[in-house]
Amino acid sequence: AQLGGTAEVVKPAPLRYRGLALEPVTTAVKRSAATVQILDAPALSPLPGTNFLVTLWLKCNQRPTTAQGYAAVIGKYSEVQPQASQWMLGLDANLYPFMKTSVPSTPIRSSQAIATGLWVLVSAEWASNGTVRLFLGTNQCAQGTLPRSTNSSLPLTVGDTYPVDGSHALIGHVDEVRVYKRAATVQFLADVVRSAPDCDNDGVMDGNDDDDDNDTMPDGWEAQYFGDRLAGAAEEDADGDGMNNLAEYIAGTDPGTRDSQFRVWSVAYARQDAAV
């Protein structure tokens, strides 16, 4: 996350565009929801007379199911300190992104929902005149006006910690969080989208592509048997058993073990008498 300030990372982030996993509280071990908090960062506030833009890659794995009906993604907010809350970007129960100020405020809601299980670039702009715009990719999906407050002493939170039971926690991933003092433009957002890695140049970013090297074998299968999602060429025979890796994948056999082979021992034909 490109955020500056003092970061308290509860859970480390995996590879780029695999994201920081944000999960709700696990009651069995009595832990809080996984979050990142940026402390002592007054610049991460949309102040009067300045442009404020936050962009992030988001993948939500399931709809918010709590009685409160939303998941928090990022912001300076606290349900137990509503007067100190300044802004929040979240997802409602139907996966429509929204932006709001203090907890009781009326949110500005997207006209488009996001899909579960896929990465999407979500951006929120708070212009110097108070106008708020939301974007999914390069498409503007909401516009309105929210009041701007003075600087908030609350930390910037990615994920959810209010309340501590994790009832607003995002079940998914957040990655590449960036905050700017600039206006959003289609060209700028398009550049951010194009910066997403695409190993096989098929137009689908790696995080949404099940086959990053376009070799017809899924990334998960290659990572399981070869230790990397880009390893194990389809035409190679890793274990020398006469079946190339693609054939091993189709057959459901282990490409690293010679004794794991697909064999047909006999073929029997069942005769079906013609109807009389």
Side-chain angles (χ1 to χ4, degrees):
Q2 309 296 314
L3 289 173
T6 303
E8 292 187 353
V9 180
V10 179
K11 188 172 182 179
L15 297 176
R16 188 181 183 206
Y17 291 102
R18 292 300 185 251
L20 172 76
L22 300 169
E23 301 293 342
V25 62
T26 301
T27 55
V29 296
K30 304 294 184 182
R31 67 173 174 83
S32 299
T35 63
V36 171
Q37 288 193 328
I38 311 299
L39 308 177
D40 303 321
L44 303 179
S45 301
L47 300 177
T50 61
N51 291 317
F52 180 83
L53 174 65
V54 57
T55 66
L56 56 88
W57 287 94
L58 170 67
K59 181 172 75 169
C60 184
N61 293 332
Q62 72 177 54
R63 296 171 182 265
T65 57
T66 62
Q68 291 85 354
Y70 75 84
V73 177
I74 187 173
K76 283 193 168 192
Y77 67 96
S78 166
E79 291 196 1
V80 296
Q81 295 178 270
Q83 299 306 314
S85 297
Q86 190 179 52
W87 66 278
M88 185 183 76
L89 180 62
L91 291 173
D92 70 12
N94 294 312
L95 297 180
Y96 286 82
F98 66 86
M99 182 88 163
K100 68 177 183 177
T101 50
S102 61
V103 172
S105 69
T106 301
I108 293 174
R109 199 172 306 276
S110 168
S111 60
Q112 299 172 246
I114 68 170
T116 55
L118 294 177
W119 287 99
V120 61
L121 179 69
V122 180
S123 306
E125 176 203 58
W126 210 335
S128 57
N129 63 0
T131 299
V132 172
R133 295 190 297 166
L134 298 182
F135 297 84
L136 294 181
T138 60
N139 298 320
Q140 180 178 320
C141 55
Q143 179 172 321
T145 302
L146 289 174
R148 308 189 69 154
S149 62
T150 57
N151 184 31
S152 171
S153 60
L154 290 174
L156 182 79
T157 300
V158 183
D160 177 77
T161 55
Y162 303 104
V164 293
D165 63 3
S167 59
H168 292 307
L170 173 72
I171 302 176
H173 298 74
V174 173
D175 207 1
E176 291 291 307
V177 179
R178 297 173 184 266
V179 176
Y180 305 88
K181 288 185 177 179
R182 60 158 296 157
T185 65
V186 172
Q187 182 62 54
F188 177 76
L189 297 177
D191 289 341
V192 177
V193 172
R194 281 193 293 269
S195 72
D198 180 11
C199 287
D200 52 9
N201 297 311
D202 63 354
V204 181
M205 62 174 287
D206 290 349
N208 292 339
D209 194 344
D210 291 333
D211 185 6
D212 288 341
D213 52 4
N214 204 26
D215 62 359
T216 70
M217 299 181 297
D219 294 341
W221 188 83
E222 291 178 277
Q224 177 184 353
Y225 289 106
F226 299 104
D228 188 280
R229 72 187 196 282
L230 304 179
E235 67 278 5
E236 292 178 353
D237 181 6
D239 54 9
D241 65 356
M243 294 177 64
N244 65 29
N245 294 332
L246 178 58
E248 300 258 21
Y249 163 67
I250 295 172
T253 53
D254 186 339
T257 304
R258 291 178 61 89
D259 293 335
S260 179
Q261 300 179 353
F262 178 78
R263 290 286 185 269
V264 178
W265 299 107
S266 63
V267 178
Y269 295 91
R271 177 178 177 181
Q272 182 176 1
D273 294 331
V276 177

PDB file of all heavy atoms in Angstrom, residues 230-251:
ATOM      1  N   LEU A 230       3.306 -20.370 -13.392  1.00  0.00           N
ATOM      2  CA  LEU A 230       3.795 -20.201 -14.762  1.00  0.00           C
ATOM      3  C   LEU A 230       4.732 -21.324 -15.184  1.00  0.00           C
ATOM      4  O   LEU A 230       5.291 -21.291 -16.279  1.00  0.00           O
ATOM      5  CB  LEU A 230       4.518 -18.855 -14.902  1.00  0.00           C
ATOM      6  CG  LEU A 230       3.709 -17.609 -14.499  1.00  0.00           C
ATOM      7  CD1 LEU A 230       4.555 -16.360 -14.653  1.00  0.00           C
ATOM      8  CD2 LEU A 230       2.428 -17.504 -15.319  1.00  0.00           C
ATOM      9  N   ALA A 231       4.916 -22.335 -14.323  1.00  0.00           N
ATOM     10  CA  ALA A 231       5.847 -23.427 -14.619  1.00  0.00           C
ATOM     11  C   ALA A 231       5.109 -24.588 -15.292  1.00  0.00           C
ATOM     12  O   ALA A 231       3.885 -24.646 -15.307  1.00  0.00           O
ATOM     13  CB  ALA A 231       6.516 -23.899 -13.332  1.00  0.00           C
ATOM     14  N   GLY A 232       5.890 -25.510 -15.845  1.00  0.00           N
ATOM     15  CA  GLY A 232       5.307 -26.724 -16.400  1.00  0.00           C
ATOM     16  C   GLY A 232       4.679 -26.526 -17.763  1.00  0.00           C
ATOM     17  O   GLY A 232       3.459 -26.438 -17.877  1.00  0.00           O
ATOM     18  N   ALA A 233       5.482 -26.470 -18.827  1.00  0.00           N
ATOM     19  CA  ALA A 233       4.953 -26.297 -20.178  1.00  0.00           C
ATOM     20  C   ALA A 233       4.090 -27.489 -20.564  1.00  0.00           C
ATOM     21  O   ALA A 233       4.351 -28.634 -20.169  1.00  0.00           O
ATOM     22  CB  ALA A 233       6.099 -26.119 -21.168  1.00  0.00           C
ATOM     23  N   ALA A 234       3.057 -27.223 -21.363  1.00  0.00           N
ATOM     24  CA  ALA A 234       2.081 -28.260 -21.708  1.00  0.00           C
ATOM     25  C   ALA A 234       2.715 -29.439 -22.422  1.00  0.00           C
ATOM     26  O   ALA A 234       2.348 -30.600 -22.193  1.00  0.00           O
ATOM     27  CB  ALA A 234       0.968 -27.655 -22.564  1.00  0.00           C
ATOM     28  N   GLU A 235       3.696 -29.177 -23.314  1.00  0.00           N
ATOM     29  CA  GLU A 235       4.271 -30.250 -24.126  1.00  0.00           C
ATOM     30  C   GLU A 235       5.370 -31.025 -23.409  1.00  0.00           C
ATOM     31  O   GLU A 235       5.834 -32.059 -23.914  1.00  0.00           O
ATOM     32  CB  GLU A 235       4.827 -29.675 -25.431  1.00  0.00           C
ATOM     33  CG  GLU A 235       6.033 -28.755 -25.280  1.00  0.00           C
ATOM     34  CD  GLU A 235       5.671 -27.322 -24.906  1.00  0.00           C
ATOM     35  OE1 GLU A 235       4.460 -27.055 -24.675  1.00  0.00           O
ATOM     36  OE2 GLU A 235       6.584 -26.480 -24.827  1.00  0.00           O
ATOM     37  N   GLU A 236       5.818 -30.572 -22.244  1.00  0.00           N
ATOM     38  CA  GLU A 236       6.885 -31.259 -21.519  1.00  0.00           C
ATOM     39  C   GLU A 236       6.349 -32.498 -20.801  1.00  0.00           C
ATOM     40  O   GLU A 236       5.170 -32.564 -20.443  1.00  0.00           O
ATOM     41  CB  GLU A 236       7.530 -30.314 -20.506  1.00  0.00           C
ATOM     42  CG  GLU A 236       8.317 -29.173 -21.138  1.00  0.00           C
ATOM     43  CD  GLU A 236       8.902 -28.234 -20.095  1.00  0.00           C
ATOM     44  OE1 GLU A 236       8.576 -28.399 -18.895  1.00  0.00           O
ATOM     45  OE2 GLU A 236       9.679 -27.330 -20.471  1.00  0.00           O
ATOM     46  N   ASP A 237       7.229 -33.465 -20.574  1.00  0.00           N
ATOM     47  CA  ASP A 237       6.901 -34.682 -19.832  1.00  0.00           C
ATOM     48  C   ASP A 237       7.790 -34.699 -18.588  1.00  0.00           C
ATOM     49  O   ASP A 237       8.892 -35.239 -18.602  1.00  0.00           O
ATOM     50  CB  ASP A 237       7.135 -35.914 -20.701  1.00  0.00           C
ATOM     51  CG  ASP A 237       6.785 -37.217 -19.984  1.00  0.00           C
ATOM     52  OD1 ASP A 237       6.248 -37.146 -18.853  1.00  0.00           O
ATOM     53  OD2 ASP A 237       7.050 -38.289 -20.555  1.00  0.00           O
ATOM     54  N   ALA A 238       7.320 -34.070 -17.519  1.00  0.00           N
ATOM     55  CA  ALA A 238       8.162 -33.841 -16.345  1.00  0.00           C
ATOM     56  C   ALA A 238       8.664 -35.121 -15.714  1.00  0.00           C
ATOM     57  O   ALA A 238       9.797 -35.182 -15.218  1.00  0.00           O
ATOM     58  CB  ALA A 238       7.384 -33.007 -15.314  1.00  0.00           C
ATOM     59  N   ASP A 239       7.849 -36.178 -15.692  1.00  0.00           N
ATOM     60  CA  ASP A 239       8.259 -37.416 -15.021  1.00  0.00           C
ATOM     61  C   ASP A 239       8.693 -38.505 -15.988  1.00  0.00           C
ATOM     62  O   ASP A 239       9.012 -39.626 -15.583  1.00  0.00           O
ATOM     63  CB  ASP A 239       7.137 -37.933 -14.114  1.00  0.00           C
ATOM     64  CG  ASP A 239       5.812 -38.106 -14.852  1.00  0.00           C
ATOM     65  OD1 ASP A 239       5.802 -37.987 -16.094  1.00  0.00           O
ATOM     66  OD2 ASP A 239       4.787 -38.348 -14.185  1.00  0.00           O
ATOM     67  N   GLY A 240       8.701 -38.212 -17.295  1.00  0.00           N
ATOM     68  CA  GLY A 240       9.203 -39.171 -18.274  1.00  0.00           C
ATOM     69  C   GLY A 240       8.381 -40.429 -18.397  1.00  0.00           C
ATOM     70  O   GLY A 240       8.918 -41.495 -18.724  1.00  0.00           O
ATOM     71  N   ASP A 241       7.070 -40.333 -18.184  1.00  0.00           N
ATOM     72  CA  ASP A 241       6.231 -41.530 -18.258  1.00  0.00           C
ATOM     73  C   ASP A 241       5.497 -41.661 -19.579  1.00  0.00           C
ATOM     74  O   ASP A 241       4.641 -42.530 -19.744  1.00  0.00           O
ATOM     75  CB  ASP A 241       5.227 -41.554 -17.102  1.00  0.00           C
ATOM     76  CG  ASP A 241       4.224 -40.401 -17.173  1.00  0.00           C
ATOM     77  OD1 ASP A 241       4.351 -39.541 -18.071  1.00  0.00           O
ATOM     78  OD2 ASP A 241       3.323 -40.350 -16.309  1.00  0.00           O
ATOM     79  N   GLY A 242       5.838 -40.796 -20.545  1.00  0.00           N
ATOM     80  CA  GLY A 242       5.200 -40.878 -21.851  1.00  0.00           C
ATOM     81  C   GLY A 242       3.966 -40.011 -22.003  1.00  0.00           C
ATOM     82  O   GLY A 242       3.413 -39.919 -23.103  1.00  0.00           O
ATOM     83  N   MET A 243       3.529 -39.367 -20.917  1.00  0.00           N
ATOM     84  CA  MET A 243       2.386 -38.454 -20.976  1.00  0.00           C
ATOM     85  C   MET A 243       2.892 -37.037 -20.712  1.00  0.00           C
ATOM     86  O   MET A 243       3.553 -36.802 -19.691  1.00  0.00           O
ATOM     87  CB  MET A 243       1.330 -38.819 -19.920  1.00  0.00           C
ATOM     88  CG  MET A 243       0.641 -40.152 -20.138  1.00  0.00           C
ATOM     89  SD  MET A 243      -0.524 -40.537 -18.793  1.00  0.00           S
ATOM     90  CE  MET A 243      -1.723 -39.211 -18.968  1.00  0.00           C
ATOM     91  N   ASN A 244       2.605 -36.121 -21.637  1.00  0.00           N
ATOM     92  CA  ASN A 244       3.042 -34.759 -21.383  1.00  0.00           C
ATOM     93  C   ASN A 244       2.177 -34.119 -20.297  1.00  0.00           C
ATOM     94  O   ASN A 244       1.176 -34.683 -19.860  1.00  0.00           O
ATOM     95  CB  ASN A 244       3.083 -33.928 -22.667  1.00  0.00           C
ATOM     96  CG  ASN A 244       1.705 -33.719 -23.291  1.00  0.00           C
ATOM     97  OD1 ASN A 244       0.689 -33.694 -22.610  1.00  0.00           O
ATOM     98  ND2 ASN A 244       1.689 -33.553 -24.606  1.00  0.00           N
ATOM     99  N   ASN A 245       2.583 -32.948 -19.849  1.00  0.00           N
ATOM    100  CA  ASN A 245       1.909 -32.325 -18.712  1.00  0.00           C
ATOM    101  C   ASN A 245       0.435 -32.041 -18.992  1.00  0.00           C
ATOM    102  O   ASN A 245      -0.408 -32.183 -18.102  1.00  0.00           O
ATOM    103  CB  ASN A 245       2.623 -31.021 -18.330  1.00  0.00           C
ATOM    104  CG  ASN A 245       4.025 -31.271 -17.810  1.00  0.00           C
ATOM    105  OD1 ASN A 245       4.318 -32.332 -17.261  1.00  0.00           O
ATOM    106  ND2 ASN A 245       4.905 -30.290 -17.992  1.00  0.00           N
ATOM    107  N   LEU A 246       0.116 -31.613 -20.207  1.00  0.00           N
ATOM    108  CA  LEU A 246      -1.276 -31.349 -20.540  1.00  0.00           C
ATOM    109  C   LEU A 246      -2.106 -32.622 -20.452  1.00  0.00           C
ATOM    110  O   LEU A 246      -3.225 -32.620 -19.918  1.00  0.00           O
ATOM    111  CB  LEU A 246      -1.377 -30.742 -21.941  1.00  0.00           C
ATOM    112  CG  LEU A 246      -2.800 -30.455 -22.435  1.00  0.00           C
ATOM    113  CD1 LEU A 246      -3.522 -29.501 -21.485  1.00  0.00           C
ATOM    114  CD2 LEU A 246      -2.771 -29.885 -23.855  1.00  0.00           C
ATOM    115  N   ALA A 247      -1.555 -33.736 -20.949  1.00  0.00           N
ATOM    116  CA  ALA A 247      -2.268 -35.013 -20.865  1.00  0.00           C
ATOM    117  C   ALA A 247      -2.457 -35.439 -19.410  1.00  0.00           C
ATOM    118  O   ALA A 247      -3.509 -35.978 -19.048  1.00  0.00           O
ATOM    119  CB  ALA A 247      -1.509 -36.087 -21.639  1.00  0.00           C
ATOM    120  N   GLU A 248      -1.457 -35.185 -18.579  1.00  0.00           N
ATOM    121  CA  GLU A 248      -1.575 -35.515 -17.153  1.00  0.00           C
ATOM    122  C   GLU A 248      -2.689 -34.679 -16.505  1.00  0.00           C
ATOM    123  O   GLU A 248      -3.467 -35.192 -15.694  1.00  0.00           O
ATOM    124  CB  GLU A 248      -0.241 -35.254 -16.444  1.00  0.00           C
ATOM    125  CG  GLU A 248       0.928 -36.059 -16.959  1.00  0.00           C
ATOM    126  CD  GLU A 248       1.278 -37.236 -16.063  1.00  0.00           C
ATOM    127  OE1 GLU A 248       0.407 -37.666 -15.275  1.00  0.00           O
ATOM    128  OE2 GLU A 248       2.422 -37.722 -16.153  1.00  0.00           O
ATOM    129  N   TYR A 249      -2.768 -33.405 -16.878  1.00  0.00           N
ATOM    130  CA  TYR A 249      -3.830 -32.561 -16.328  1.00  0.00           C
ATOM    131  C   TYR A 249      -5.203 -33.078 -16.744  1.00  0.00           C
ATOM    132  O   TYR A 249      -6.109 -33.215 -15.916  1.00  0.00           O
ATOM    133  CB  TYR A 249      -3.657 -31.115 -16.793  1.00  0.00           C
ATOM    134  CG  TYR A 249      -4.900 -30.294 -16.625  1.00  0.00           C
ATOM    135  CD1 TYR A 249      -5.389 -29.992 -15.347  1.00  0.00           C
ATOM    136  CD2 TYR A 249      -5.612 -29.850 -17.731  1.00  0.00           C
ATOM    137  CE1 TYR A 249      -6.562 -29.264 -15.190  1.00  0.00           C
ATOM    138  CE2 TYR A 249      -6.785 -29.122 -17.577  1.00  0.00           C
ATOM    139  CZ  TYR A 249      -7.248 -28.830 -16.306  1.00  0.00           C
ATOM    140  OH  TYR A 249      -8.418 -28.125 -16.156  1.00  0.00           O
ATOM    141  N   ILE A 250      -5.365 -33.404 -18.030  1.00  0.00           N
ATOM    142  CA  ILE A 250      -6.659 -33.895 -18.529  1.00  0.00           C
ATOM    143  C   ILE A 250      -7.031 -35.219 -17.870  1.00  0.00           C
ATOM    144  O   ILE A 250      -8.194 -35.458 -17.512  1.00  0.00           O
ATOM    145  CB  ILE A 250      -6.613 -34.042 -20.064  1.00  0.00           C
ATOM    146  CG1 ILE A 250      -6.430 -32.660 -20.713  1.00  0.00           C
ATOM    147  CG2 ILE A 250      -7.865 -34.713 -20.585  1.00  0.00           C
ATOM    148  CD1 ILE A 250      -6.178 -32.709 -22.205  1.00  0.00           C
ATOM    149  N   ALA A 251      -6.022 -36.082 -17.664  1.00  0.00           N
ATOM    150  CA  ALA A 251      -6.287 -37.408 -17.092  1.00  0.00           C
ATOM    151  C   ALA A 251      -6.459 -37.370 -15.581  1.00  0.00           C
ATOM    152  O   ALA A 251      -6.968 -38.323 -14.979  1.00  0.00           O
ATOM    153  CB  ALA A 251      -5.150 -38.359 -17.451  1.00  0.00           C
TER     154      ALA A 251
END
